[in-house]
């Protein structure tokens, strides 16, 4: 196939690698068969598309299905328009000599009116056995005929034609074919032709982007033709389920139904599972039976034996394509591919008297498989379907770490085809939501020493399912020192506000959980709220995101949007609060919503001085309609902005020691004096509180915030109220209609017993900011003083709804209903 710009290899293989060697691995150079109908290479209009590195002038695919094998003829003519485009001039034609023979008809360089015969000039193919997936323990036996045509120049057209003949005894003469992507680039002329004799009941199906073929029948058979000019690959809808990616393809199959596919595979597995007289497997079966009489326990033991004692090696050579190795042979050599491991497990289960059969699946998922023609081409993996006490279990010998049937999940392969002598229908693999979150993050912080003190931190990240096992295997492969360094770097990248001291990782064989841990010291970011208190947003408290469900115009613009399923995660954060949590509150924490096919929950509460937040997200379905996605977009965005806050009482900032150290360290920091003033107020030490407020104003005499703070401190202390009033008036001259300052002056008027003026200031503050709980609360008390019980009670209730600690805050300075 062409490398570089073009990825046309799928066009050159008629079927997966299979059985029965019948070719010698050499490339034959010969003219095309008489059955091939030549197609003219179009000439593009001058200058059209000249900016592209390369241009496909012709893509011609012709198939002939016959009793002695199937032939796939391919001709590609590509024009190189830039120096970069020349990188696509290397030929690499793959084939499997066990089932295929490769005949190259021509390699021509067309330069204007001149035709240069590359093969006629003496250039030859180099035959390579590349085994490109050897590092993945895969041996496929595929050979590659490689050729780098000499002398290619910009403006040349490279015209290559060859035929791949395929014959696989395992299919018992049945024909099938699936083209690759026929339009990786725009194609000036796309020609598809398929012919078959009357003895072959072929069916076909073209997919999105191809027109309905012209079909003619004669006494000799059937001919199917698609001939397109200016073929363009259809644009697939963004974020749609995988079935919408099937475009620009045509599939042809002789199988009448899926049952015929199932039945043709059954003898291969039954014969391979039959044990020899001198087999060593009966001893293993007897050993398993001695352990337990419970079929479920026996089946789990057999699965563990295959997973743990037989390593995986894919064998696509010789009879490795469809035909599994004998169970005895796989056991003897202690390695096998999915077919070999499945047969070994099948032999063990049948020896234990457990009903079991192979099942063909696609490891890439098979969304939309039920709408395609029956063929073996979609399957690249096989596992066991076992039935015990009326319940179905899917057992995969190529996995590792499975220890009980109860813990086995239905695999995410979409569809499975059980292999039965009588034939079977496709079976939908209905995925279930996990019983526990697949990931579970737990953060524990001890802030009991104060908000600004370093908080001891312990973080755990629990993984379950396949991700947990993959993490275990990766960590097991690392040297202990490297592992710890890697984990420390991981935690540091995730939590830059925690100084990592130690890390750990453990795997629980019984539960299949991988637990990563980290201990360290956290610098918690307590910030200032609009009410003047300090607040903390727990890590990951926000759910949702700002989604983009838009799509460009094109086919299936209203296709559903895919949702990862099953998916489930939980995260929680606990914080040990100072002063046993006295006066701390949680802002509107609870969420319980279903949006865009997902469930979102969040709770937050304080109990016995410990704050706890728990949040979860999980998918409910595998896809949602385009209309539902559009409706969900603003909801998801709103959810992403809905943060949870842990709020300290207004009077609390830190311990005296912490604040004194802060003032000593930064004596020019007016804010430090104000924070310490609030702490003194909370303890009833008003002399020190007013002294610190005076110092803050001395540092910033013309700062409205400083003047307002001293005004409010004097009002809290119920001292120097005329001076407090002067401070608030001066602050309002600097910042007119400032809600916090209006709130402070309203409190001064309340202390002075001037309730009309107090209510007026609170009205003005609330007109700007309706969320000021202190303004609502003291206005309510002022209304009660004036005999307005209904209005006062309403204000107080509204204030407590906004801030449950507001009454306690004022009670500390002697203000109560």
């Amino acid at each position: 196939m062409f490398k570089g710009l073009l990825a046309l290899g799928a066009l050159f293989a008629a079927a997966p690698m299979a059985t029965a060697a019948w070719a010698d691995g050499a490339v034959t150079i010969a003219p095309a068969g008489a059955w091939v109908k030549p197609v003219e290479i179009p000439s593009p209009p001058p200058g059209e598309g000249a900016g592209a590195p390369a241009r496909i002038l012709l893509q011609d695919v012709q198939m002939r299905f016959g009793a002695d094998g199937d032939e796939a003829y391919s001709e590609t003519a590509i024009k190189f328009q830039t120096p970069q485009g020349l990188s696509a001039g290397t030929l690499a034609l793959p084939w499997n000599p066990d089932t295929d023979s490769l005949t190259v008809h021509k390699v021509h360089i067309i330069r204007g009116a001149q035709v240069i015969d590359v093969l006629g000039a003496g250039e030859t193919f180099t035959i390579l056995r590349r085994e490109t997936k050897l590092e993945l323990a895969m041996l496929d036996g595929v050979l590659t005929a490689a050729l780098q045509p000499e002398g290619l120049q910009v403006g040349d057209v490279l015209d290559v034609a060859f035929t791949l003949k395929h014959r696989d005894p395992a299919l018992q003469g049945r024909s099938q074919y699936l083209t690759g992507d026929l339009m990786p680039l725009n194609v000036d002329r796309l020609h598809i032709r398929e012919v078959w004799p009357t003895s072959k009941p072929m069916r076909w199906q073209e997919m999105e982007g191809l027109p309905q073929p012209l079909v003619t029948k004669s006494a000799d058979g059937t001919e199917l033709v698609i001939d397109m000019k200016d073929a363009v690959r259809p644009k697939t809808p963004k974020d749609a389920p995988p079935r919408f990616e099937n475009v620009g393809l045509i599939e042809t199959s002789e199988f009448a139904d899926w049952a015929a596919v199932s039945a043709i595979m059954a003898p291969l597995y039954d014969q391979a599972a039959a044990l020899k007289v001198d087999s060593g497997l009966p001893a293993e079966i007897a050993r398993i039976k001695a352990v337990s009489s419970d079929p479920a326990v026996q089946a789990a033991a057999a699965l563990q034996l295959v997973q743990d004692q037989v390593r995986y090696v894919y064998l696509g050579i010789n009879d490795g394509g469809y035909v599994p190795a004998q169970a005895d042979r796989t056991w003897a050599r202690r390695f096998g591919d999915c077919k070999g491991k499945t047969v070994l497990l099948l032999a063990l289960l049948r020896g234990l008297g457990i009903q079991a059969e192979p099942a063909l699946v696609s490891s890439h998922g098979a969304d939309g498989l039920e709408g395609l023609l029956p063929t073996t081409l979609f399957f690249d993996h096989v596992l066991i379907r076992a039935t015990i006490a009326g319940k179905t279990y899917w057992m995969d010998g190529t996995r590792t770490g499975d220890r009980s049937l109860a813990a086995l999940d239905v695999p995410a392969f979409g569809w499975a085809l059980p292999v039965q002598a009588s034939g079977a229908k496709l079976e939908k693999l209905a995925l279930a939501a996990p019983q526990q979150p697949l990931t579970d993050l737990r953060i524990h912080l001890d802030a009991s020493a104060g908000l600004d003190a370093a908080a001891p931190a312990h973080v755990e990240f629990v993984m379950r399912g396949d991700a947990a096992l993959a993490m275990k295997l990766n960590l097991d492969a690392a040297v202990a020192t490297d592992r710890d360094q890697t984990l420390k770097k991981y935690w540091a990248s995730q939590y830059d506000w925690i100084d990592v001291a130690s890390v750990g990782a453990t795997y629980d064989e019984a539960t299949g959980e991988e637990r990563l841990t980290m201990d360290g010291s956290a610098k918690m970011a307590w910030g200032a709220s609009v009410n003047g208190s300090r607040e903390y947003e727990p890590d990951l408290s926000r759910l949702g995101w700002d989604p983009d469900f838009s799509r460009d115009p094109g086919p299936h613009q209203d296709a559903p949007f895919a949702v990862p399923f099953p998916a489930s995660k939980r995260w929680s954060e606990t914080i040990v609060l100072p002063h046993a949590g006295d006066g701390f509150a949680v802002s509107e924490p609870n969420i319980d919503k279903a949006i865009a096919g997902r469930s979102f929950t969040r709770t937050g509460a304080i109990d016995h001085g410990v704050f706890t937040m728990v949040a979860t997200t999980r998918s409910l379905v595998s896809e949602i309609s385009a209309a539902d996605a559009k409706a969900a977009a603003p909801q998801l965005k709103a959810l992403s902005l809905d943060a949870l806050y842990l709020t300290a009482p207004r009077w609390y900032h830190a311990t005296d020691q912490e604040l004194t150290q802060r003032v000593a360290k930064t004596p020019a920091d007016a804010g430090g004096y104000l924070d310490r003033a609030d702490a003194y107020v909370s303890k009833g030490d008003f002399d020190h509180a007013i002294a610190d407020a005076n110092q803050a104003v001395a540092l910033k005499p013309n700062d409205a915030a400083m003047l307002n703070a001293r005004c409010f401190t004097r009002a809290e202390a119920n001292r120097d109220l005329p001076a407090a009033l002067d401070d608030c008036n001066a602050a309002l001259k600097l910042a007119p209609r400032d809600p916090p300052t209006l709130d402070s002056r309203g409190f001064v008027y309340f202390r002075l017993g001037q309730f009309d003026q107090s209510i007026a200031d609170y009205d003005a503050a609330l007109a700007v900011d309706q969320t000021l709980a202190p303004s609502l609360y003291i206005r309510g008390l002022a209304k009660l003083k004036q005999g307005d019980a209904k209005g006062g009670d309403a204000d107080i209730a509204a204030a407590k709804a906004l801030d449950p600690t507001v009454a306690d805050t004022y009670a500390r300075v002697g203000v109560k209903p």
Side-chain angles (χ1 to χ4, degrees), residues 410-443:
V410 176
F413 295 139
W415 294 90
L417 180 64
V419 175
Q420 301 172 359
S422 59
K425 297 180 179 180
L426 284 176
E427 183 170 341
K428 179 69 174 176
L429 297 177
L431 302 180
Q435 296 181 353
Q436 296 189 79
L438 297 177
T439 61
D440 202 339
L441 177 67
R442 305 163 187 173
I443 303 174

Side-chain angles (χ1 to χ4, degrees), residues 163-233:
T163 295
L164 195 69
K165 187 168 184 178
H166 178 80
R167 183 175 65 188
D168 193 334
L171 297 181
Q172 301 177 16
R174 288 176 175 81
S175 297
Q176 56 184 5
Y177 186 67
L178 176 66
T179 66
D181 186 355
L182 295 168
M183 294 169 281
L185 299 177
N186 296 352
V187 181
D188 285 6
R189 183 177 184 183
L190 174 62
H191 181 262
I192 305 169
R193 175 174 174 263
E194 297 183 351
V195 295
W196 59 87
T198 55
S199 59
K200 280 190 170 290
M202 303 296 293
R203 293 191 294 156
W204 66 90
Q205 179 172 262
E206 73 280 357
M207 300 182 191
E208 184 79 36
L210 295 179
Q212 185 175 354
L214 175 64
V215 179
T216 58
K217 295 186 177 183
S218 67
D220 295 330
T222 302
E223 180 183 63
L224 176 154
V225 175
I226 293 176
D227 200 352
M228 297 178 65
K229 293 183 178 180
D230 301 321
V232 179
R233 189 178 193 274

Side-chain angles (χ1 to χ4, degrees), residues 131-141 312-316:
E131 296 296 357
T132 56
K133 297 183 179 180
L134 189 60
E135 73 281 2
L136 301 178
M138 300 179 70
L139 299 171
D140 57 23
Y312 174 82
V313 177
Y314 171 74
L315 300 171

Side-chain angles (χ1 to χ4, degrees), residues 125 131 336 363 388 395 414 428 467 485 501 683 691 726 758 790 801:
F125 283 93
E131 296 296 357
S363 63
I388 301 174
M395 306 167 67
K428 179 69 174 176
Q485 287 301 317
K683 297 167 58 177
D726 289 342
S758 176
K790 183 177 180 181

Side-chain angles (χ1 to χ4, degrees), residues 436-443 459-464 491 513-516 568-572 614-616:
Q436 296 189 79
L438 297 177
T439 61
D440 202 339
L441 177 67
R442 305 163 187 173
I443 303 174
V459 185
E460 294 185 3
F461 182 47
V462 180
M463 307 170 70
R464 301 182 177 93
W491 285 117
E513 294 180 349
E514 176 71 32
R515 187 181 304 269
L516 307 181
S568 175
K569 62 180 179 179
R570 175 174 60 198
W571 56 100
S572 61
V614 179
T616 68

